[in-house]
């Protein structure tokens, strides 16, 4: 073997020997070591929201609350089918009126009984003998249908050029039924007291002038209810005025008289005395009739009271229909 070859071989052998005798680096040793097995029962650490168990409970509670609110308010998947709102509104309004009327009917009845008991004997006798208490008459003047709606009311003529001509039979009495949501007020109109005033009232009632008008003034301190104004604020009338008539009697409980703004300014507005106002009023208001049935109903009527701040804006009751027929 050539010398150069022997020397190269010995150098190669020496390098191999050194390589076998050199220790591996720590990094290489770690790489070659097998991974240690995890002990029994070992659980890996929780990740994400699982690390916060209270957050999970909070989210579940919020979801439950949201579902409950949807159910309680009938929205989303829990929405109820649509209802007939017009029928529902009518039923609600009827229920409110009934509830209100029931709440004040007892006191009104008791007050009416006390007022009636205090009436003069001749007044009590006249009421008991009134032809307007005849059941056939009461049927004729009773109209329980609803008040005219806005469209129907607009068709009623409430403006006239002059007072009506005398058309009633002044030898007869006339019976008026004021039909309200509270009930029926029956009035005997007396031409012998004030023929022009009775004629005027009959004429307006027969032309449905009063149907749907409100009691725009209910004064507790004066014990009166007032209505008959087409404007509903005390400033309206039928477009004409007529003269005063001599007052034939006193403003006793249940009597009906014309309201006015001075001498000879009578029109369509009237008031009913709920108590004896003979001392409170001078004889400046045409007296033309007497309530013979339903004084307790009249005492239940609600409306704005200019003397009571708490009642100035109260919603007034309506005269749904006013019907007048001859007593015989």
């Amino acid at each position: 073997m050539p010398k150069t070859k022997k020397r190269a071989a010995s150098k190669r052998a020496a390098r191999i020997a050194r390589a076998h005798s050199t220790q591996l680096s720590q990094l290489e040793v770690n790489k070659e070591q097998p991974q240690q097995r995890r002990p029994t029962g070992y659980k890996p650490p929780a990740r994400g929201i699982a690390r916060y168990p209270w957050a999970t409970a909070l989210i579940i509670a919020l979801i439950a609350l949201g579902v409950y609110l949807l159910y309680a308010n009938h929205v989303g998947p829990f929405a109820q089918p649509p209802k007939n709102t017009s029928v529902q509104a009518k039923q609600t309004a009827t229920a409110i009126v009934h509830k209100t009327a029931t709440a004040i009917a007892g006191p009104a009845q008791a007050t009416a009984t006390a007022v009636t008991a205090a009436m003069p004997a001749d007044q009590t006798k006249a009421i008991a003998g009134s032809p307007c208490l005849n059941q056939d008459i009461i049927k004729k003047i009773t109209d329980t249908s609803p008040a005219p709606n806005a469209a129907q009311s607009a068709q009623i003529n409430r403006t006239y050029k002059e007072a009506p001509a005398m058309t009633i039979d002044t030898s007869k009495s006339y019976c008026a039924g004021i039909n309200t949501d509270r009930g029926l007020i029956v009035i005997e109109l007396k031409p012998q007291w004030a023929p022009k005033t009775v004629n005027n009232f009959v004429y307006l009632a027969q032309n449905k002038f009063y149907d749907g008008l409100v009691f725009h003034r209910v004064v507790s301190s004066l014990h009166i209810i007032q209505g008959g104004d087409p404007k509903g604020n005390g400033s309206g009338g039928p477009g004409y005025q007529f003269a005063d008539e001599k007052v034939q009697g006193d403003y006793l409980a249940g009597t009906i008289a014309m309201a006015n703004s001075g001498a000879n300014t009578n029109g369509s507005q009237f008031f009913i005395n709920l108590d004896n106002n003979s001392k409170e009023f001078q004889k400046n208001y045409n007296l033309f009739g007497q309530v013979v049935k339903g004084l307790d109903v009249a005492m239940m009527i609600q409306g704005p009271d200019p003397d009571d701040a708490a009642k100035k804006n109260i919603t007034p009751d309506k005269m749904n229909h006013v019907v007048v027929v001859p007593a015989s």
Side-chain angles (χ1 to χ4, degrees):
M1 177 180 295
K3 185 176 180 179
T4 55
K5 290 186 178 180
K6 286 183 178 181
R7 188 176 293 174
S10 67
K11 288 181 179 181
R12 182 172 178 274
R15 286 197 303 271
I16 293 172
R18 284 196 303 271
H20 282 291
S21 63
T22 302
Q23 292 184 349
L24 295 174
S25 66
Q26 185 66 32
L27 177 61
E28 292 174 337
V29 171
N30 290 342
K31 285 184 179 178
E32 292 179 0
Q33 289 179 349
Q35 294 183 354
Q36 296 181 354
R37 298 184 65 181
R38 293 170 178 170
T40 304
Y42 172 80
K43 293 183 179 179
R47 297 178 181 276
I49 195 172
R51 298 177 62 184
Y52 309 100
W54 59 268
T56 303
L58 178 61
I59 291 174
I60 294 174
L62 290 175
I63 293 173
L65 177 61
V67 173
Y68 171 76
L69 291 175
L70 290 175
Y71 173 78
N73 293 282
H74 303 295
V75 296
F78 304 105
Q80 294 182 340
K83 296 181 179 180
N84 187 328
T85 55
S86 61
V87 173
Q88 186 179 27
K90 183 177 180 180
Q91 291 174 342
T92 302
T94 301
I96 292 173
V97 169
H98 177 73
K99 182 178 180 180
T100 305
T102 301
I104 61 179
Q109 179 64 57
T111 303
T113 300
V115 169
T116 301
M119 289 180 177
D122 56 345
Q123 184 186 14
T124 303
K125 183 178 179 180
I127 292 173
S130 172
C132 297
L133 294 177
N134 183 285
Q135 289 303 310
D136 290 336
I137 294 291
I138 290 178
K139 288 180 181 179
K140 291 178 181 179
I141 62 177
T142 299
D143 186 345
T144 58
S145 62
N149 57 34
Q152 293 168 334
S153 183
Q155 298 300 315
I156 299 174
N157 180 23
R158 293 195 172 97
T159 303
Y160 299 88
K161 292 182 179 180
E162 57 186 4
M166 182 67 68
T167 58
I168 65 169
D169 185 345
T170 57
S171 65
K172 295 182 178 180
S173 291
Y174 286 78
C175 303
I178 301 179
N179 296 266
T180 75
D181 286 335
R182 307 285 183 183
L184 177 66
I185 303 173
V186 180
I187 299 173
E188 181 180 347
L189 305 176
K190 297 180 176 289
Q192 62 272 28
W193 287 1
K196 292 180 181 179
T197 306
V198 172
N199 182 73
N200 179 74
F201 189 90
V202 171
Y203 175 79
L204 294 177
Q206 289 178 342
N207 285 279
K208 301 186 182 301
F209 179 94
Y210 291 115
D211 291 13
L213 300 188
V214 300
F215 289 95
H216 63 274
R217 189 166 178 256
V218 177
V219 187
S220 301
S221 60
L222 294 178
H223 306 290
I224 65 167
I225 58 173
Q226 185 171 328
D229 176 11
K231 292 184 178 181
N233 59 14
S235 65
Y240 61 80
Q241 296 178 338
F242 65 94
D244 295 337
E245 295 184 277
K246 185 178 180 179
V247 177
Q248 306 285 343
D250 296 315
Y251 299 110
L252 302 175
T255 53
I256 181 172
M258 293 299 295
N260 59 56
S261 57
N264 303 312
T265 59
N266 304 285
S268 59
Q269 295 188 42
F270 64 88
F271 63 91
I272 297 175
N273 293 289
L274 303 181
D275 207 340
N276 189 343
N277 285 324
S278 300
K279 294 181 179 180
E280 282 71 19
F281 297 151
Q282 295 182 353
K283 294 190 176 183
N284 297 329
Y285 310 99
N286 294 4
L287 193 66
F288 65 102
Q290 167 73 52
V291 174
V292 296
K293 181 179 174 64
L295 183 59
D296 57 330
V297 175
M299 290 181 174
M300 288 191 288
I301 296 297
Q302 301 289 295
D305 186 343
D307 296 340
D308 188 337
K311 296 181 178 180
K312 281 187 177 180
N313 298 318
I314 192 170
T315 301
D317 287 329
K318 287 183 178 180
M319 294 179 278
N320 295 337
H321 300 281
V322 177
V323 184
V324 178
V325 299
S328 60

